[in-house]
Amino acid sequence: MKDVLLILGASGQIGNELTQSLRKIYGNERVIASDIREGNADMMNSGPFELINATDKNQILQIVQKYKVTQVYLLAAMLSATAEQHPQKAWNLNINSLLAVLDLAKEKHIKQIYWPSSIAVFGPTTPKQNTPQKSVMEPSTVYGISKLAGEFWCNYYHDKYGVDVRSLRYPGIISWKSKPGGGTTDYAVDIYFSALEESKYTCFLSENTRLPMMYMDDAVNATIQLMQTASHKIKERTAYNLSAISFTPKEIALEIKKHIPEFEILYKPDFRQKIADSWPQSISDSKAREDWNWQHQFDLSSMTKDILTNLKEQRSTLKL
């Protein structure tokens, strides 16, 4: 039987690009996009779309049965900075959506689940450099607490019920195709748009705040590769550390200036600085590389060149 995939939270930053990549692999009709709001034109026109509340188990089950879904990618979540402003709402979305999908797998309605975790599971007491797969995890944000709890729910359902659930601890994800969605690492997305539109950017983190980051192309490839790996090779059922590059706002600004010499950056740290300071500066993802041969493709230089090239093309197209 051919797999049919349901993406919950397909209109988000990662969901949007992951959906399109999965449709190229599995075919448009076998990848069902869904969200609590409609997606962009490309998503809506390229394949099936359903309006779904990701915390409503019965609503999800109806769609699973309608399309004979075998895999669920649960991407619906409230991110770090937004979650700090709406803690109970964030907990409800981030945890209840996961439990709904885990129960559907436990009841044999679906075969496989993907659920993203985050470097937010780490906290101020975690080793900052080359943070290992297993380390001190004392998150200081609602988002981090929900992701840490979610990791152990995944592990529990795998151990107790044999649920095939897989997860990655994403670093900051950078994309040129969609605007930021309320995360602490979002400056690294915003900065490229501002550089082209205004030749300046005011950063909400201080200049030397180093954080683990990843280009969207690498994040999507890692997700698909993890889900296509044979089950017996998946050794971590909480979540795998995932890494590519680490840099500071100052370093990304210098890279942008190579392409836009007049670019200027200012620094006005806000409440997100405290969140960023609680996270690691670099991540060791040796387990992912060992267990399923993960390898990233983009560094800061190649990512910056690719983003600015695509954004310039996009702008010139819109002007035609």
Side-chain angles (χ1 to χ4, degrees):
M1 187 177 77
K2 290 184 176 180
D3 282 316
V4 177
L5 286 55
L6 172 62
I7 319 298
L8 296 166
S11 297
Q13 185 195 29
I14 296 171
N16 184 41
E17 298 194 39
L18 180 61
T19 298
Q20 299 300 346
S21 294
L22 289 170
R23 282 180 170 167
K24 288 176 184 174
I25 295 168
Y26 292 94
N28 290 346
E29 297 306 311
R30 286 166 54 201
V31 179
I32 320 305
S34 74
D35 208 303
I36 203 162
R37 65 187 190 279
E38 290 192 344
N40 61 27
D42 285 346
M43 181 185 296
M44 301 298 289
N45 296 331
S46 63
F49 184 91
E50 297 281 351
L51 287 171
I52 297 180
N53 178 346
T55 63
D56 189 330
K57 179 183 170 184
N58 289 330
Q59 201 175 35
I60 299 168
L61 177 58
Q62 287 177 4
I63 301 304
V64 165
Q65 292 175 332
K66 177 180 176 181
Y67 293 97
K68 297 182 172 58
V69 169
T70 59
Q71 294 182 15
V72 172
Y73 289 67
L74 172 55
L75 303 174
M78 192 177 292
L79 301 183
S80 57
T82 309
E84 288 304 287
Q85 297 164 359
H86 308 281
Q88 290 187 338
K89 194 174 178 182
W91 176 263
N92 178 56
L93 172 59
N94 295 0
I95 292 297
N96 289 345
S97 59
L98 175 59
L99 289 174
V101 173
L102 286 171
D103 275 339
L104 290 175
K106 170 191 166 187
E107 294 159 8
K108 309 299 182 187
H109 295 293
I110 51 179
K111 292 193 307 182
Q112 203 173 21
I113 297 168
Y114 176 76
W115 175 81
S117 187
S118 164
I119 60 167
V121 298
F122 301 118
T125 55
T126 302
K128 296 288 186 190
Q129 307 296 336
N130 224 25
T131 304
Q133 174 67 37
K134 296 189 186 301
S135 185
V136 179
M137 299 165 80
E138 296 180 337
S140 58
T141 64
V142 175
Y143 181 62
I145 293 166
S146 70
K147 288 298 183 183
L148 182 57
E151 283 194 14
F152 283 94
W153 274 120
C154 289
N155 192 65
Y156 179 82
Y157 270 74
H158 173 72
D159 285 351
K160 193 168 181 69
Y161 307 115
V163 171
D164 186 357
V165 56
R166 307 174 184 201
S167 182
L168 296 170
R169 290 176 187 145
Y170 287 135
I173 306 296
I174 304 167
S175 169
W176 61 271
K177 291 183 181 177
S178 52
K179 291 288 181 87
T184 300
T185 55
D186 280 348
Y187 87 85
V189 179
D190 259 341
I191 194 169
Y192 289 107
F193 287 93
S194 296
L196 276 176
E197 291 166 8
E198 303 169 30
S199 297
K200 62 181 180 181
Y201 177 66
T202 301
C203 186
F204 55 73
L205 299 180
S206 62
E207 64 178 350
N208 293 317
T209 305
R210 184 172 301 280
L211 288 170
M213 299 283 191
M214 177 174 285
Y215 195 27
M216 179 66 81
D217 293 38
D218 279 333
V220 167
N221 288 339
T223 304
I224 294 170
Q225 186 180 343
L226 176 71
M227 289 297 279
Q228 291 181 339
T229 297
S231 184
H232 71 274
K233 292 185 178 180
I234 307 298
K235 308 296 185 186
E236 302 295 333
R237 293 291 181 165
T238 48
Y240 277 98
N241 275 5
L242 191 70
S243 182
I245 45 181
S246 294
F247 54 78
T248 66
K250 183 178 181 180
E251 287 169 350
I252 195 173
L254 289 171
E255 198 62 44
I256 289 172
K257 282 178 75 71
K258 293 177 184 177
H259 303 268
I260 307 172
E262 66 274 22
F263 176 69
E264 294 180 1
I265 185 167
L266 302 171
Y267 301 95
K268 290 187 178 179
D270 64 14
F271 73 98
R272 288 167 284 196
Q273 183 66 51
K274 187 176 180 182
I275 297 174
D277 289 342
S278 75
W279 290 349
Q281 295 181 356
S282 61
I283 299 283
S284 170
D285 59 1
S286 58
K287 285 293 293 177
R289 294 175 189 269
E290 177 185 320
D291 289 356
W292 42 279
N293 198 32
W294 156 244
Q295 295 177 40
H296 70 281
Q297 301 298 319
F298 286 87
D299 60 13
L300 177 57
S301 175
S302 57
M303 178 184 74
T304 297
K305 183 179 178 181
D306 197 66
I307 290 175
L308 291 175
T309 299
N310 279 293
L311 283 178
K312 285 174 184 175
E313 288 178 5
Q314 187 182 64
R315 290 179 80 198
S316 62
T317 303
L318 290 172
K319 288 176 182 178
L320 292 177

